[in-house]
Amino acid sequence: VDSSSEEETELPRIQDPGELEEEPAAARFSEDRTAAANDVLTEEDRELFSYFLPVPGMEEQIVQILQDARKYKGTSITSLRGNLIVQGEEGSGKTVLATSLIKAIQRAVGNEDAKIGKISAAALNRKDFASLVPKIAGGYLIVDKAGELTEETAVRMSKVMERNTQGMVVILEDDSAGIKKAMSLDFSFAKKFTGKVKIPIFTIDELVDFGKSYAHEMECVIEEMGVLALYNRINNIQKLERATTLAEVKDIVDQAIESAESGGLKKLFTKKYNENDYLILREKDFE
């Protein structure tokens, strides 16, 4: 099981395909739910993608992916199309986004019981891809660090994806260089990936918006001076050679929450919660 601490999600049991049960997943498709598809994200979807929606252009990309999924999923027993690419730099939240997309697609097409697997490209190079398919048929397979796939593996995957996979969706994750390399391995393999979401390098305003969104999800609110302190913390870790990541901002907010929750004589005389019972994160908590 791959479970990097910086990209944990609520998805149940994302597994290495080698650990999955042998029997194929039964995919149940609901015509009513597919027919109800529209261009606007539902409230459930907006909550699911709350980390990313404040970023310009992300909502449009997510909507397009979900539209395509409703169009493709359940229409073929192969994996010829409907497979996805999630591109972003290290720590940008690729797996959070990939698993959120899976949850949204599952709701849209009605196959919530479909199996979900995650495997690194390096591990996949050492396995027989054809033998993995029955264990996750009809489900979703995330391939991390896709740029490490070999040409032999890409060719083999492409051929297997043309057979009966019960419509399994393959999702490749990597940074821009890794995705470019993976797509150059084999043309037949590359053309099967018909959807792509690119997580941009975040501006400091977008990182702060993410921090506020994450704090709200944790039932906390950042006061005005706390927001300024968050700006300062992010500014202090910005580097010319590497963009600040969502994971780093999450760590900063987690530390502030821990500080706000801890005791201390001064805090005994300070209001800890607002009228909605959300923990208040103050300037001091970000220092």
Side-chain angles (χ1 to χ4, degrees):
V1 179
D2 188 320
S3 57
S4 67
S5 59
E6 68 212 31
E7 295 185 340
E8 292 178 356
T9 74
E10 296 178 358
L11 268 177
R13 298 197 68 202
I14 301 176
Q15 297 170 289
D16 183 303
E19 299 172 359
L20 292 168
E21 298 174 2
E22 290 292 337
E23 59 270 13
R28 299 194 304 264
F29 301 104
S30 166
E31 292 180 0
D32 290 340
R33 296 173 92 169
T34 304
N38 55 60
D39 296 351
V40 181
L41 296 177
T42 66
E43 284 304 311
E44 284 181 309
D45 290 335
R46 290 189 175 280
E47 183 176 348
L48 196 57
F49 296 108
S50 60
Y51 288 1
F52 301 100
L53 292 182
V55 181
M58 287 299 293
E59 181 168 350
E60 291 81 358
Q61 293 186 76
I62 291 168
V63 166
Q64 185 62 57
I65 290 293
L66 297 183
Q67 285 179 320
D68 290 346
R70 291 170 180 131
K71 182 167 59 177
Y72 296 138
K73 196 76 171 107
T75 62
S76 173
I77 62 172
T78 71
S79 299
L80 280 172
R81 59 194 312 173
N83 303 291
L84 306 176
I85 292 169
V86 177
Q87 178 180 312
E89 301 308 305
E90 187 72 27
S92 62
K94 293 186 295 298
T95 298
V96 171
L97 180 56
T99 51
S100 295
L101 285 169
I102 291 171
K103 289 183 77 172
I105 292 169
Q106 285 179 315
R107 279 204 300 256
V109 304
N111 70 334
E112 289 93 337
D113 60 343
K115 291 177 180 174
I116 303 163
K118 182 178 179 184
I119 189 170
S120 70
L124 192 53
N125 290 333
R126 300 190 297 270
K127 292 180 180 288
D128 176 13
F129 181 68
S131 70
L132 299 181
V133 171
K135 304 172 185 179
I136 199 168
Y140 304 83
L141 177 64
I142 300 171
V143 180
D144 187 30
K145 297 190 182 301
E148 296 181 11
L149 288 171
T150 64
E151 181 179 353
E152 180 183 2
T153 300
V155 171
R156 187 165 58 243
M157 287 179 68
S158 182
K159 290 178 180 177
V160 172
M161 290 164 73
E162 293 169 4
R163 304 174 195 162
N164 184 354
T165 65
Q166 295 188 26
M168 179 182 72
V169 174
V170 179
I171 302 172
L172 301 183
E173 285 184 8
D174 212 334
D175 59 20
S176 56
I179 293 299
K180 184 177 181 180
K181 181 176 180 296
M183 292 295 96
S184 69
L185 294 172
D186 178 69
F187 175 73
S188 179
F189 175 69
K191 72 179 183 180
K192 292 177 173 63
F193 292 86
T194 53
K196 181 177 182 179
V197 179
K198 181 180 177 182
I199 303 173
I201 295 175
F202 298 99
T203 66
I204 190 166
D205 287 336
E206 290 163 350
L207 291 168
V208 169
D209 284 342
F210 166 77
K212 291 192 289 187
S213 175
Y214 173 67
H216 187 268
E217 184 176 298
M218 301 301 291
E219 298 188 351
C220 300
V221 60
I222 307 176
E223 66 164 12
E224 186 176 349
M225 293 304 294
V227 172
L228 294 177
L230 177 58
Y231 266 103
N232 189 53
R233 282 290 305 276
I234 294 172
N235 189 58
N236 287 340
I237 62 173
Q238 292 273 33
K239 300 179 178 65
L240 290 175
E241 69 276 9
R242 184 182 65 78
T244 302
T245 67
L246 296 184
E248 289 172 317
V249 176
K250 178 178 177 293
D251 286 344
I252 291 172
V253 176
D254 283 339
Q255 291 166 15
I257 293 172
E258 185 178 347
S259 171
E261 288 177 335
S262 64
L265 185 60
K266 186 175 181 180
K267 291 185 179 180
L268 291 175
F269 304 99
T270 305
K271 184 181 177 183
K272 290 186 68 171
Y273 298 92
N274 69 3
E275 63 277 6
N276 296 319
D277 289 329
Y278 275 34
L279 181 66
I280 301 171
L281 306 183
R282 305 179 188 278
E283 180 181 15
K284 198 74 176 171
D285 298 315
F286 288 95
E287 294 177 349

